[in-house]
Amino acid sequence: MITFQEAYLKVMAHKQDYGTEEVELLKSMDRVLAEDIKADRDFPPFDRATKDGIAINYAAIKNGIKEFRIEAVLAAGSPKYKLKSENNCVEIMTGAVVPENADTIVMYEQITIKNGYAILDKDPNQGQEIHLQGSDELQGAIVLNKHKLITASEIGVLAAVGKAKVLVKKLPKSTIISTGNELVDVQETPLPHQIRKSNIYSLYAALAEEKIVPSQLHLNDEKEEIKKEIKKALNENDVLLLSGGVSKGKFDYIPDVLAELGVEKIFHRVLQRPGKPFWFGIQKETRTLIFSFPGNPASTFANYHLYFKDWLKGSLSLSIPKINVILDESIPVTGNLTLFLRVKIRMENGQLLADLVKENGSGDLTSLAQSDGFIRLDPKEVPYSVGELVPFSPTRRTISL
Amino acid sequence: MITFQEAYLKVMAHKQDYGTEEVELLKSMDRVLAEDIKADRDFPPFDRATKDGIAINYAAIKNGIKEFRIEAVLAAGSPKYKLKSENNCVEIMTGAVVPENADTIVMYEQITIKNGYAILDKDPNQGQEIHLQGSDELQGAIVLNKHKLITASEIGVLAAVGKAKVLVKKLPKSTIISTGNELVDVQETPLPHQIRKSNIYSLYAALAEEKIVPSQLHLNDEKEEIKKEIKKALNENDVLLLSGGVSKGKFDYIPDVLAELGVEKIFHRVLQRPGKPFWFGIQKETRTLIFSFPGNPASTFANYHLYFKDWLKGSLSLSIPKINVILDESIPVTGNLTLFLRVKIRMENGQLLADLVKENGSGDLTSLAQSDGFIRLDPKEVPYSVGELVPFSPTRRTISL
């Protein structure tokens, strides 16, 4: 058996690049940008009024003028106007182009309008209330770097520079496979010795968060059926995620079947709990990766988040977050297994505190729903102490408070 | 003008309840559970082997027996078996029902199998390696409380208890409305005095995160057109989100039009930056709420996150997170405006540290994409100091590290 650290590095050494594809702007949400995005023009594209009021030429102020004849009214969206006389003004609305011959805006709150004239209540500063052309970004400047996750704010930038279609990283074609004769579907009533599938649903939901829409497959514990179906799946997918069938049981055919199909085992079994019987391998010809997780809910869920999510981030060129949280209780960790314990995160005084969630072994489903993620505790001579920093892997995007 | 705190409380006082609806399990992701979920049977539903090995009756150990004749092999998914003699054993696989007359599992690693007999390498503990029926949850126990956000782990629990359909909180029917003659669509090439719509895209994307699929509408600055379209939208929606048209400009018709349509203004203009000209109101007959945001990208984006998101959480019975982060620099805040400053969050030693993002006023689009959210700084006599805790509103679900 290998350690968690060794297993993690072996998984990360198999990052893949699935190329790029173009998607419509609003479909690019939560995808990874695959091109640098440049400003297609200056931002702002013109000297832009930032207040509603009048546009004047400051030279007039220097000449002692306080009253300006109003030449015109400029709305946002009006073509650029030329001020006829520097002793006149125009009314101008937020977002409109500052006229030629004007260089200062005075907002309505600081003027009085009477008989077609605007009278200044106080002296303005030269150049005030103007958002100068190119002051945010010059044409050609990179406004979004590739390999950035696209969220609502990036969507706004992409729209502003005219990216109706966006080049994003392609996602791996994936199939999730449940195994085991004891499993029935969610809408069925299980017999006393049966249970319902649940891992395949939580995996589906977790992948959906990453915008992966996986295919689904269920295999009974029949070796020839498993072999036939996995052979097909290997050739049709970039990634297979299996749940169950990798322990030491007589009907745990997955490792044998994968070996018979010529899939290279990279490792099987890791010094960790939960998730020890994790099997990881690759079919070299197709570069299909196989993440074969033990079937207990906590094991599948932990290994998905510990290995697969970081592997996916790496494959999509995203940076991999390293989050440390603060232990709120003392925990002894003896033996030779790295423990992944379910915790709830408490945000207090700007700190991330980890509270252990009561759990009942790796078959315990409900405690996962009470957790925000797993803390990692490697075996240590002395107990982990209150206040100690430990690595944390979140299992939900929004930490519930 | 009212303060941010007053405005926030007025918005939150208008929480609505849009009722419930049933959706398919995999469509319930990111929705809010509207029913308590109970265990439909004990979890686990039977005494369940947690290791592959043999099942024995511990009485035999007490009688000094070390070798057990193997009666049968039990797979997961096999009906319950009865051990014929307490001096015999069965081979049993993880997930299988522990047989009647057996009470202890010994894993393969601790036995030797020869000639149809299993020989113990060491003495087991009575009851070991068995996940007892009902030890996680008893039938009828609440396994998920209503008003919980459904994520991947909750999906697993819902599947396990047979919820093929889930009752969730209904979302408000929403329309987002952009206004302004200067705006052209993302796929168009703007004239020199025009800019592309961007707020409507970032609002769409932000609402999509909440699983709201809004309708979209664009209004030019023509009062009668605005009035006709808004009247229609008021009657067809629970919520209107507008961007632009609420400043002091001559063509900012929105406040007038809403007044003429009998919409009650709850407030207009808040002592805050960005987002000061925020207009909020309600059409009493239909209970339609109007969030009318100023048109600058940072203003719309800030007000969406500061007001609308918390209002939505409250309306869906979700708790509203209060996150404080630690300032990493000293900031003076004079004047009478509450400032919302763009920051990037750095996680370090279990702490959330806020670094200011360079910004260029509320018209500056690109700095939003460099930010993780806004910190709130109320005016204060002395500058905010390094290490001080300030409230934080995230603008992305995953804080980028």
Side-chain angles (χ1 to χ4, degrees):
Chain A
M1 266 196 283
I2 61 175
T3 66
F4 167 73
Q5 284 82 351
E6 290 166 335
Y8 180 84
L9 291 176
K10 281 182 193 290
V11 169
M12 295 307 283
H14 285 83
K15 286 187 298 193
Q16 305 287 313
D17 186 342
Y18 298 108
T20 62
E21 62 183 333
E22 213 174 42
V23 297
E24 282 176 33
L25 175 58
L26 288 177
K27 301 265 182 203
S28 72
M29 185 72 181
D30 288 328
R31 300 291 298 270
V32 178
L33 193 59
E35 55 178 336
D36 286 332
I37 300 295
K38 292 180 180 171
D40 65 324
R41 56 206 299 228
D42 291 340
F43 278 81
F46 45 78
D47 292 345
R48 183 182 160 278
T50 66
K51 287 282 180 338
D52 306 306
I54 56 168
I56 58 170
N57 189 319
Y58 194 77
I61 302 284
K62 285 197 280 198
N63 292 333
I65 293 172
K66 304 277 184 193
E67 295 189 20
F68 297 82
R69 191 169 71 76
I70 300 169
E71 270 186 29
V73 180
L74 303 180
S78 306
K80 187 162 185 171
Y81 180 85
K82 183 172 176 177
L83 192 62
K84 293 186 180 63
S85 154
E86 67 177 37
N87 296 338
N88 290 351
C89 72
V90 292
E91 286 188 68
I92 191 165
M93 305 307 139
T94 304
V97 186
V98 175
E100 213 177 312
N101 279 341
D103 61 1
T104 299
I105 309 290
V106 187
M107 56 178 167
Y108 281 128
E109 290 87 335
Q110 299 175 352
I111 59 173
T112 309
I113 292 184
K114 219 156 82 179
N115 302 327
Y117 279 79
I119 304 140
L120 299 187
D121 298 337
K122 57 176 267 191
D123 270 5
N125 298 315
Q126 185 168 13
Q128 73 181 22
E129 320 296 11
I130 294 174
H131 193 180
L132 287 174
Q133 177 170 346
S135 61
D136 289 348
E137 303 292 346
L138 292 173
Q139 184 177 356
I142 292 177
V143 290
L144 293 175
N145 286 300
K146 67 178 171 184
H147 303 163
K148 194 172 199 306
L149 189 68
I150 299 172
T151 71
S153 57
E154 287 79 16
I155 293 279
V157 177
L158 290 165
V161 301
K163 295 295 296 183
K165 296 198 170 185
V166 186
L167 196 71
V168 296
K169 300 285 284 185
K170 237 177 168 167
L171 298 164
K173 191 164 182 314
S174 308
T175 290
I176 44 180
I177 304 174
S178 53
T179 67
N181 291 348
E182 74 276 27
L183 297 178
V184 302
D185 243 322
V186 60
Q187 69 281 359
E188 293 177 47
T189 303
L191 296 172
H193 54 279
Q194 295 178 323
I195 58 172
R196 291 195 190 87
K197 291 175 200 168
S198 65
N199 288 337
I200 203 160
Y201 290 97
S202 47
L203 281 179
Y204 186 98
L207 289 167
E209 281 188 3
E210 314 296 334
K211 296 283 159 177
I212 295 175
V213 182
S215 303
Q216 295 176 51
L217 193 58
H218 178 76
L219 301 175
N220 285 313
D221 297 325
E222 288 159 30
K223 195 169 170 186
E224 285 313 307
E225 181 199 335
I226 292 178
K227 193 165 172 179
K228 196 183 95 203
E229 295 288 346
I230 288 191
K231 185 175 180 182
K232 187 160 168 280
L234 281 168
N235 291 327
E236 291 173 355
N237 289 277
D238 298 313
V239 173
L240 305 185
L241 295 116
L242 289 88
S243 174
V246 288
S247 291
K248 298 229 156 177
K250 293 217 155 168
F251 310 106
D252 290 339
Y253 297 125
I254 303 293
D256 283 355
V257 162
L258 290 169
E260 290 170 21
L261 290 170
V263 174
E264 186 194 325
K265 178 179 85 174
I266 297 164
F267 60 79
H268 183 198
R269 301 170 72 76
V270 184
L271 288 162
Q272 69 173 75
R273 191 169 65 218
K276 184 157 71 174
F278 176 29
W279 192 106
F280 179 66
I282 185 167
Q283 185 182 53
K284 286 260 164 128
E285 309 81 59
T286 55
R287 311 274 318 146
T288 304
L289 289 170
I290 299 95
F291 292 79
S292 198
F293 302 133
N296 278 323
S299 302
T300 287
F301 204 64
N303 281 346
Y304 172 85
H305 285 92
L306 300 172
Y307 296 99
F308 181 82
K309 264 188 79 174
D310 281 6
W311 169 85
L312 180 65
K313 283 204 168 80
S315 295
L316 297 175
S317 304
L318 286 176
S319 66
I320 292 157
K322 298 282 170 219
I323 309 174
N324 285 312
V325 295
I326 301 166
L327 276 190
D328 215 18
E329 56 199 290
S330 168
I331 308 169
V333 180
T334 54
N336 64 350
L337 300 182
T338 294
L339 299 189
F340 293 97
L341 301 182
R342 284 153 249 191
V343 296
K344 201 160 174 54
I345 296 297
R346 202 154 36 89
M347 289 199 196
E348 219 175 77
N349 299 325
Q351 297 189 312
L352 300 167
L353 298 163
D355 292 321
L356 287 187
V357 169
K358 181 187 150 292
E359 57 183 80
N360 190 21
S362 52
D364 165 19
L365 180 63
T366 55
S367 64
L368 293 171
Q370 294 154 25
S371 310
D372 293 319
F374 293 93
I375 52 169
R376 187 182 104 210
L377 302 181
D378 293 312
K380 215 170 69 157
E381 295 278 315
V382 294
Y384 286 83
S385 55
V386 176
E388 195 161 342
L389 282 170
V390 293
F392 172 68
S393 297
T395 53
R396 51 182 90 233
R397 281 181 298 189
T398 311
I399 289 176
S400 57
L401 298 163
Chain B
M1 265 194 284
I2 60 176
T3 64
F4 167 73
Q5 283 82 350
E6 290 166 335
Y8 180 84
L9 290 176
K10 283 184 194 287
V11 170
M12 294 307 283
H14 286 83
K15 284 187 300 191
Q16 305 286 314
D17 186 341
Y18 298 108
T20 62
E21 63 184 332
E22 212 173 45
V23 297
E24 281 175 35
L25 176 58
L26 288 176
K27 301 264 182 204
S28 73
M29 185 72 181
D30 287 328
R31 299 293 297 271
V32 177
L33 193 59
E35 56 179 334
D36 287 332
I37 301 295
K38 292 180 181 169
D40 65 325
R41 56 207 299 227
D42 291 340
F43 278 79
F46 46 79
D47 292 344
R48 183 182 160 279
T50 65
K51 287 284 183 336
D52 306 306
I54 56 168
I56 58 169
N57 188 318
Y58 194 75
I61 302 286
K62 284 196 280 197
N63 292 331
I65 292 171
K66 306 276 183 194
E67 295 190 20
F68 297 81
R69 191 169 72 77
I70 300 169
E71 269 186 28
V73 180
L74 303 181
S78 304
K80 187 161 184 172
Y81 180 86
K82 183 172 175 177
L83 192 62
K84 291 185 181 68
S85 154
E86 70 176 34
N87 296 339
N88 290 351
C89 72
V90 292
E91 286 187 69
I92 190 164
M93 305 307 137
T94 303
V97 187
V98 176
E100 212 178 312
N101 278 342
D103 61 1
T104 300
I105 309 289
V106 187
M107 57 180 165
Y108 280 128
E109 289 87 336
Q110 298 173 353
I111 59 172
T112 308
I113 291 182
K114 218 156 82 180
N115 301 326
Y117 279 80
I119 304 142
L120 301 186
D121 298 338
K122 59 176 266 193
D123 269 5
N125 298 314
Q126 187 169 14
Q128 75 181 20
E129 320 297 10
I130 294 175
H131 193 181
L132 287 175
Q133 177 171 346
S135 61
D136 290 348
E137 302 293 345
L138 292 173
Q139 184 177 357
I142 293 178
V143 290
L144 292 174
N145 286 297
K146 67 178 171 185
H147 303 163
K148 194 171 200 306
L149 188 69
I150 299 172
T151 71
S153 57
E154 285 79 16
I155 294 278
V157 177
L158 290 165
V161 302
K163 297 294 297 182
K165 295 196 168 185
V166 185
L167 196 72
V168 296
K169 300 285 284 185
K170 238 175 165 166
L171 297 164
K173 193 166 178 315
S174 307
T175 290
I176 45 181
I177 304 174
S178 53
T179 68
N181 291 349
E182 75 275 27
L183 298 178
V184 303
D185 243 322
V186 59
Q187 69 281 0
E188 292 175 47
T189 303
L191 296 170
H193 53 282
Q194 296 178 321
I195 58 172
R196 291 196 190 85
K197 291 176 198 166
S198 64
N199 288 337
I200 202 160
Y201 290 97
S202 46
L203 281 180
Y204 187 99
L207 289 167
E209 281 188 0
E210 314 298 331
K211 296 282 157 179
I212 294 175
V213 182
S215 302
Q216 295 178 54
L217 192 59
H218 177 77
L219 301 175
N220 285 313
D221 296 325
E222 289 159 30
K223 195 170 170 187
E224 286 314 307
E225 181 199 337
I226 291 178
K227 194 166 171 179
K228 196 183 96 204
E229 294 288 346
I230 289 191
K231 186 176 180 184
K232 186 160 169 279
L234 281 168
N235 292 328
E236 291 174 356
N237 289 277
D238 299 312
V239 174
L240 304 186
L241 294 116
L242 288 89
S243 174
V246 288
S247 289
K248 299 226 156 179
K250 294 216 155 168
F251 310 105
D252 291 338
Y253 297 123
I254 302 293
D256 283 356
V257 161
L258 290 169
E260 291 170 21
L261 290 171
V263 174
E264 186 195 325
K265 178 180 84 175
I266 297 163
F267 60 79
H268 183 198
R269 301 170 73 77
V270 183
L271 288 161
Q272 68 173 77
R273 190 168 65 219
K276 184 156 72 174
F278 176 30
W279 193 104
F280 179 66
I282 184 167
Q283 186 182 55
K284 286 260 163 129
E285 310 82 58
T286 55
R287 311 273 321 145
T288 304
L289 289 170
I290 299 93
F291 292 82
S292 198
F293 302 132
N296 278 323
S299 303
T300 288
F301 204 64
N303 281 347
Y304 172 85
H305 285 92
L306 300 172
Y307 295 100
F308 181 82
K309 262 188 80 173
D310 281 6
W311 170 84
L312 180 65
K313 282 205 169 78
S315 295
L316 298 176
S317 305
L318 285 176
S319 66
I320 291 158
K322 298 281 170 222
I323 308 176
N324 284 312
V325 295
I326 301 165
L327 277 189
D328 215 18
E329 57 199 290
S330 168
I331 309 170
V333 180
T334 54
N336 62 352
L337 300 181
T338 294
L339 299 189
F340 292 96
L341 301 182
R342 284 151 250 191
V343 296
K344 200 158 175 55
I345 297 297
R346 202 154 35 89
M347 289 196 197
E348 217 173 79
N349 299 326
Q351 297 189 312
L352 300 168
L353 298 162
D355 292 321
L356 288 187
V357 170
K358 183 186 150 290
E359 57 183 80
N360 191 20
S362 52
D364 164 19
L365 180 64
T366 53
S367 65
L368 293 172
Q370 292 152 26
S371 311
D372 294 319
F374 294 93
I375 53 169
R376 186 182 106 208
L377 301 182
D378 295 312
K380 216 170 69 157
E381 295 278 314
V382 293
Y384 286 82
S385 55
V386 176
E388 196 162 341
L389 282 170
V390 294
F392 172 69
S393 297
T395 53
R396 51 181 91 235
R397 282 180 299 187
T398 309
I399 290 175
S400 56
L401 299 165

